[in-house]
Amino acid sequence: MIQFKEGYYADIRIEDRFRTTISYKAGVLEEMKTRNEKQAFLRVYDGKLWYYASVTDVDHLQKTLDGLYAAATANPDILEDPTVKRFEVNRDKLSSFADRSVRDIPLAKKQELLLSYLPILSEEPAVTLPEGKYLDRNSEFRFLSSLGADITYDYQTCGIVLSFAMAEGEKQFHGSWSNGVTRFEELRGLEETIRGSVREQADSMRNAVPVEAGKYPVVLSPEAAGVFAHESFGHKSEADFMISDETMKEEWQLGKAVGSPILSIAESGAIPGSGFVPYDDEGTKARKNYLIKNGVLAGRLHSAQTAAALDEELTGNARAIDCEFEPIVRMTTTYIEGGDLSFDELIAPIEKGYFIKTVKHGSGMSTFTIAPKVAYEIVNGKLGRPAQISVISGNVFETLGLIDGLTRDVELLSFVGGGCGKIEQYPLPVGFGGPYVRVSEMNVQ
Amino acid sequence: MEKEFIKKTEQSVTLNVTAGKIDSFREIEKTTGTVRVYENGCIGVAGCLGEPNEEELTEKAKAALAFAIPYPCCLEGPLEQEEIHDEEIIPVAEFIPTMQRFLDRLGELCPRFALTNKIGMSRTYTEYRNSLGRHLVSCGRELNISLVAQSRGSGNLFDTGFGWSGDHFDEEALLAEFKREYDAFYKPVDIEPGRYPILIEPAQLLYSYLNHFVGDLYAAGASLLNGKLGEKVFSDKLTLKADMNLHTAPNGCFFDAEGCVAPYMRPSLVENGVLKGLLTTKKTAAAYGLPNLGTAAATYDGVPDMDLPGLYAEPTAKSLKELVPGKAVLVVVAAGGDATPEGHFVTPVQMAYLMENGELVGRLPDITISGDFFDLLGKDYVGTSHDDPIEGFNFSAFVMDVEKP
């Protein structure tokens, strides 16, 4: 039983994390392991400074907590501190995966699943180095605070990641395919999807034509639209970037028009998948937050510290990658909401443009970039040949204003492996997605 | 049965800075242990968080042999070597007041900047032993200052940054350098599209080409460098190494995860334009008949994997002025670029300074830079200077196309 002291705010986050990694390269087993780690992160706040400790000795948390208390200075008014006043005091036990935990699935069954997919890569003659991984994670979290919060919940992802170097003559391509889900059984029956993806990437290697650098209409797939939403606007919505300069609040005033009237970007930790965060690492319950609604700045993402600094409500976005780090403002699942068009209607008006189907990576500051993996020409309203594109780029706000078409159907993606990076904390699992999105003009190189 | 034992302890204290004020203090100590055993062409690995019990780990590693993960047993031979760089940079008890004083002085020198992000001190201790009598101990410390600057009133979340890392704290030198950058930041200048020497940290450019240096991709014919190992493919001036030397990479380790130690602790990828090495482990090197570079990494419970710890380009000039005597572009932030499979590289540059005669002239608007793999490391490679304008600042120059978006 943890004894919290008066005169301080304190919280403790404990994670019991189970992980499996099985990997093959060129048909040879490279790695096969399970890892079970239990760690805790403790915070004490005295109204002036936060004191943090990360420990693996979770049986003696009181001793670590007392050490942090000793470094801090008691503050009789700590409960009146604006940050402390923001904290939610939730008490909940949420078990989403207890009856289908990947902890209970034998390693051999996971290996067998991965092995069932690997031969598909070698069906394509251009593949010279096939690689495959099975990854899973099941975490059990507990959060306690000096205010009385007591929350337990679990988290789970599992998935297959395939990568394949291809070479044919002078042509080369580094292909990949992955699928992240929350139930092991959902990873079955993916043969045709994988086969189709490998074929498409081989075709792109063989037949992609160089682009003539310039400005073109561009259609983003749900994957590319999700990367765009996450990189170009999601990071800008993280309020820890806004509390250093007093003028930032005016520059980023809620209600300001920042994009096309058809554009709405939302964020929620309540969506099942890799961005599932029912309670954030300060004990705040997940909720849906609009970042942009109908082209207007509608909200931003907060920890208790940033919500207090900007006098706004909590959003459930204080997250840490694990119990070595403190929570900072991070995304969960970020997505563009759908519109009213079909895919064919979306591309029909484009005489010459590009469709970005899959993405290697993206980034977003004043200028955003997306490095496509598979892309196609759009010619006279129809998809054409595969295209070789290094990057597409644009000014973030100009591009948000140039979105002029959205499909009805929205796809939200979930991942295993990789994740979002911010400052020292990488990788954090997130989700993202959206509809197919048409932008009237982007730089294509 | 052969065996390796590794113990690693990482300690860090990290301060968070918001608007020039320290608002948190974090202390972490993490010890891990690893035992790897080799038998009948297979590897068994066991690891733990916390102080390792070698006997217990050995039994677990032996049990892991049942997974039958193929791995050649070719341990390094006997060697006793220690590299201990354990001088305290700033006592932990004085870290907050020392850094707050530094931040206050920096704030006075740079009043239009709101500074955030992290300042940290770290210590890494690694011990490696194997059953052939190799025993290596590496210990290094590093101070890392990473400050994000917002120009007050710009409305931008990020305008530029001040960064430095090294094994000491020279407050006056850092303040002088950051002030120099601050002054240049508020002098907007322009540049005509064309070809210019681009000063950039080599890793920032070469990261996009890393795949082409990976041993198994090379062997699979999926590298632009196919068949060129041992051949001269780049500029005579280019010597590129992995940096495991604690003098220049103070928070690293002078040996790799498999106990390999390179001459001067810098394994060679390229020497005078000749492709000398590829990123390998002992397994991939043996599988494809490649020389082992000696830069493998491993998680505490994992099989060794290929890695590149950091890049070291041999200096060719004593100063930036000598390296690029005329006009040049110094890249501070270039995020989001990439190369096509054919090697054409493009990146937007979000923050850059114009330099002339080795001095910062002013801040450039957003530009785009581009070039091609063999040209950039060949005819367009200008050279590298070290420790200019201050110790630890190492820039390489490549002639690239500059365009405005």
Side-chain angles (χ1 to χ4, degrees):
Chain A
M1 185 73 179
I2 296 291
Q3 298 295 319
F4 292 107
K5 275 189 178 179
E6 285 188 9
Y8 309 85
Y9 169 80
D11 61 38
I12 299 174
R13 171 167 44 98
I14 306 162
E15 182 185 2
D16 180 333
R17 182 182 293 203
F18 170 92
R19 297 181 73 172
T20 304
T21 305
I22 305 171
S23 71
Y24 279 82
K25 187 184 284 183
V28 177
L29 180 62
E30 292 271 306
E31 184 74 275
M32 181 137 144
K33 67 178 181 187
T34 56
R35 176 191 283 186
N36 203 341
E37 291 178 334
K38 203 165 181 184
Q39 286 185 271
F41 195 87
L42 299 88
R43 309 193 301 172
V44 166
Y45 179 53
D46 62 10
K48 289 182 180 166
L49 273 180
W50 286 91
Y51 298 85
Y52 305 139
S54 165
V55 293
T56 52
D57 180 6
V58 294
D59 295 327
H60 299 93
L61 294 176
Q62 187 69 54
K63 188 180 162 195
T64 307
L65 183 65
D66 290 343
L68 294 178
Y69 280 137
T73 307
N75 175 356
D77 301 321
I78 192 67
L79 295 178
E80 297 307 311
D81 181 272
T83 298
V84 176
K85 283 173 83 172
R86 279 285 191 296
F87 286 123
E88 289 183 356
V89 184
N90 291 301
R91 299 175 71 83
D92 196 3
K93 286 187 179 175
L94 187 64
S95 178
S96 306
F97 305 103
D99 59 340
R100 49 194 152 104
S101 170
V102 290
R103 295 176 195 245
D104 302 330
I105 296 169
L107 200 54
K109 204 171 171 187
K110 298 171 184 177
Q111 185 182 24
E112 186 189 338
L113 177 81
L114 176 61
L115 282 170
S116 73
Y117 290 130
L118 290 179
I120 297 171
L121 302 182
S122 300
E123 290 172 7
E124 167 52 54
V127 170
T128 54
L129 187 64
E131 298 181 62
K133 282 185 183 177
Y134 168 86
L135 302 167
D136 67 32
R137 172 183 163 191
N138 178 284
S139 286
E140 290 164 4
F141 290 96
R142 184 156 187 211
F143 178 85
L144 299 163
S145 83
S146 57
L147 301 179
D150 187 350
I151 303 161
T152 58
Y153 73 94
D154 56 358
Y155 173 91
Q156 180 164 296
T157 54
C158 51
I160 302 282
V161 179
L162 303 175
S163 59
F164 39 100
M166 294 188 285
E168 204 166 72
E170 294 294 305
K171 294 186 171 176
Q172 296 159 0
F173 195 93
H174 295 281
S176 63
W177 178 91
S178 69
N179 188 28
V181 295
T182 56
R183 297 176 184 218
F184 182 77
E185 293 309 316
E186 292 174 76
L187 292 172
R188 297 198 184 279
L190 298 168
E191 290 81 358
E192 283 315 305
T193 309
I194 296 169
R195 198 168 274 124
S197 176
V198 175
R199 274 194 208 125
E200 181 177 40
Q201 292 179 73
D203 179 60
S204 182
M205 174 188 73
R206 293 187 180 107
N207 300 314
V209 292
V211 295
E212 192 178 325
K215 294 187 174 186
Y216 299 95
V218 169
V219 170
L220 306 174
S221 67
E223 177 184 335
V227 170
F228 175 70
H230 175 102
E231 297 291 350
S232 72
F233 206 78
H235 280 298
K236 288 182 175 56
S237 302
E238 292 167 341
D240 45 354
F241 288 123
M242 296 182 195
I243 59 174
S244 286
D245 178 12
E246 287 163 10
T247 64
M248 290 296 285
K249 199 172 173 184
E250 288 166 33
E251 291 290 335
W252 290 83
Q253 205 162 43
L254 300 183
K256 181 179 177 176
V258 290
S260 158
I262 65 168
L263 176 67
S264 293
I265 301 179
E267 230 282 337
S268 174
I271 296 169
S274 48
F276 179 59
V277 187
Y279 289 92
D280 75 5
D281 291 333
E282 294 184 325
T284 304
K285 191 167 186 168
R287 62 210 64 184
K288 182 175 178 180
N289 303 291
Y290 275 100
L291 308 181
I292 298 175
K293 191 158 192 186
N294 302 325
V296 170
L297 188 63
R300 43 191 150 240
L301 308 178
H302 283 298
S303 64
Q305 184 191 11
T306 64
L310 297 180
D311 195 20
E312 292 175 2
E313 297 302 313
L314 293 175
T315 58
N317 290 90
R319 302 183 65 196
I321 56 168
D322 56 31
C323 282
E324 271 189 49
F325 295 97
E326 68 274 24
I328 56 175
V329 183
R330 304 297 297 264
M331 282 173 265
T332 55
T333 295
T334 313
Y335 58 100
I336 297 175
E337 291 196 324
D340 56 2
L341 300 174
S342 67
F343 181 74
D344 288 344
E345 288 167 339
L346 192 74
I347 64 171
I350 299 175
E351 280 182 27
K352 170 71 178 167
Y354 291 95
F355 168 51
I356 310 303
K357 185 165 184 184
T358 61
V359 168
K360 283 193 272 183
H361 59 81
S363 76
M365 295 171 71
S366 53
T367 303
F368 79 91
T369 62
I370 289 175
K373 186 181 282 283
V374 174
Y376 292 90
E377 295 176 322
I378 301 172
V379 181
N380 296 326
K382 303 281 182 199
L383 290 184
R385 299 169 295 181
Q388 288 170 11
I389 300 174
S390 297
V391 290
I392 59 167
S393 61
N395 175 282
V396 169
F397 288 103
E398 284 172 17
T399 305
L400 290 171
L402 294 173
I403 291 173
D404 66 357
L406 304 167
T407 60
R408 282 183 289 277
D409 297 332
V410 170
E411 190 181 341
L412 300 184
L413 295 101
S414 194
F415 308 91
V416 285
C420 174
K422 181 174 175 181
I423 311 174
E424 57 185 349
Q425 294 197 45
Y426 171 85
L428 183 79
V430 294
F432 54 67
Y436 291 87
V437 174
R438 187 177 66 215
V439 185
S440 61
E441 188 178 274
M442 277 176 155
N443 294 312
V444 179
Q445 289 172 297
Chain B
M1 180 182 292
E2 303 295 350
K3 181 176 135 182
E4 293 171 300
F5 170 82
I6 301 164
K7 179 182 169 183
K8 186 172 188 177
T9 300
E10 295 168 287
Q11 295 163 292
S12 66
V13 287
T14 307
L15 310 176
N16 190 65
V17 178
T18 302
K21 297 291 174 199
I22 293 165
D23 62 11
S24 75
F25 174 89
R26 183 185 71 214
E27 189 158 15
I28 298 177
E29 178 170 340
K30 182 179 175 183
T31 296
T32 58
T34 305
V35 169
R36 297 188 210 117
V37 295
Y38 298 83
E39 192 171 67
N40 301 325
C42 291
I43 190 171
V45 186
C48 69
L49 264 182
E51 197 61 34
N53 177 327
E54 189 172 344
E55 274 181 34
E56 205 173 279
L57 285 180
T58 304
E59 289 311 308
K60 285 183 180 171
K62 284 179 184 171
L65 284 166
F67 292 140
I69 300 173
Y71 209 95
C73 178
C74 38
L75 303 188
E76 298 294 301
L79 175 69
E80 278 280 349
Q81 190 171 342
E82 274 191 359
E83 290 286 330
I84 307 292
H85 296 230
D86 202 18
E87 297 78 26
E88 191 168 54
I89 301 171
I90 300 166
V92 171
E94 293 169 27
F95 195 39
I96 291 179
T98 302
M99 284 300 139
Q100 189 58 65
R101 187 184 67 226
F102 169 72
L103 288 165
D104 290 345
R105 292 183 66 195
L106 186 58
E108 285 169 18
L109 291 170
C110 310
R112 293 168 73 183
F113 277 177
L115 298 167
T116 59
N117 208 12
K118 305 280 181 192
I119 299 176
M121 280 195 302
S122 55
R123 176 181 183 271
T124 305
Y125 170 94
T126 316
E127 181 183 2
Y128 171 96
R129 273 191 276 115
N130 73 22
S131 49
L132 298 186
R134 178 159 289 222
H135 183 211
L136 310 169
V137 181
S138 175
C139 183
R141 289 179 184 248
E142 184 178 73
L143 169 68
N144 190 301
I145 297 173
S146 173
L147 295 172
V148 169
Q150 289 173 305
S151 177
R152 295 183 196 281
S154 74
N156 295 327
L157 307 180
F158 176 105
D159 285 297
T160 186
F162 291 147
W164 189 83
S165 62
D167 61 3
H168 60 281
F169 178 50
D170 185 340
E171 183 169 351
E172 301 308 321
L174 289 174
L175 288 172
E177 170 54 22
F178 293 165
K179 175 72 164 74
R180 206 171 68 98
E181 293 175 31
Y182 173 80
D183 289 342
F185 182 89
Y186 287 105
K187 289 177 191 154
V189 292
D190 210 348
I191 194 168
E192 288 301 312
R195 285 176 66 73
Y196 297 91
I198 306 296
L199 289 159
I200 191 166
E201 288 182 22
Q204 211 174 342
L205 176 67
L206 292 170
Y207 183 77
S208 297
Y209 292 123
L210 210 55
N211 270 348
H212 301 294
F213 289 90
V214 172
D216 26 21
L217 292 174
Y218 176 90
S223 159
L224 289 170
L225 295 168
N226 282 348
K228 292 185 167 62
L229 188 63
E231 291 181 13
K232 187 177 172 311
V233 281
F234 302 125
S235 164
D236 288 339
K237 291 181 281 186
L238 183 69
T239 293
L240 203 56
K241 299 180 175 189
D243 198 0
M244 303 168 80
N245 189 310
L246 295 177
H247 289 103
T248 41
N251 197 36
C253 177
F254 75 89
F255 51 89
D256 81 343
E258 301 188 277
C260 298
V261 181
Y264 304 104
M265 295 159 239
R266 292 192 185 112
S268 282
L269 288 163
V270 178
E271 278 184 24
N272 303 117
V274 176
L275 181 63
K276 287 283 190 181
L278 297 158
L279 302 176
T280 55
T281 59
K282 292 198 171 195
K283 181 177 182 174
T284 54
Y288 303 116
L290 299 170
N292 183 30
L293 187 64
T295 60
T299 57
Y300 70 84
D301 57 354
V303 174
D305 200 0
M306 72 93 198
D307 188 36
L308 181 62
L311 273 176
Y312 178 91
E314 287 280 2
T316 61
K318 287 179 185 158
S319 65
L320 287 172
K321 185 177 178 179
E322 183 187 313
L323 181 66
V324 280
K327 237 179 216 186
V329 173
L330 188 145
V331 172
V332 179
V333 182
D338 209 339
T340 62
E342 293 72 26
H344 183 63
F345 174 78
V346 180
T347 185
V349 177
Q350 292 86 1
M351 173 60 211
Y353 292 110
L354 180 66
M355 292 197 82
E356 212 154 352
N357 301 319
E359 296 296 326
L360 296 178
V361 177
R363 176 169 56 112
L364 289 165
D366 283 8
I367 55 172
T368 301
I369 57 174
S370 60
D372 287 289
F373 181 56
F374 286 108
D375 290 342
L376 286 169
L377 301 185
K379 69 180 178 58
D380 293 335
Y381 176 63
V382 180
T384 295
S385 80
H386 279 194
D387 298 331
D388 188 35
I390 59 168
E391 190 182 338
F393 277 28
N394 305 327
F395 290 102
S396 294
F398 306 86
V399 176
M400 299 177 78
D401 291 314
V402 172
E403 291 173 57
K404 291 183 184 173

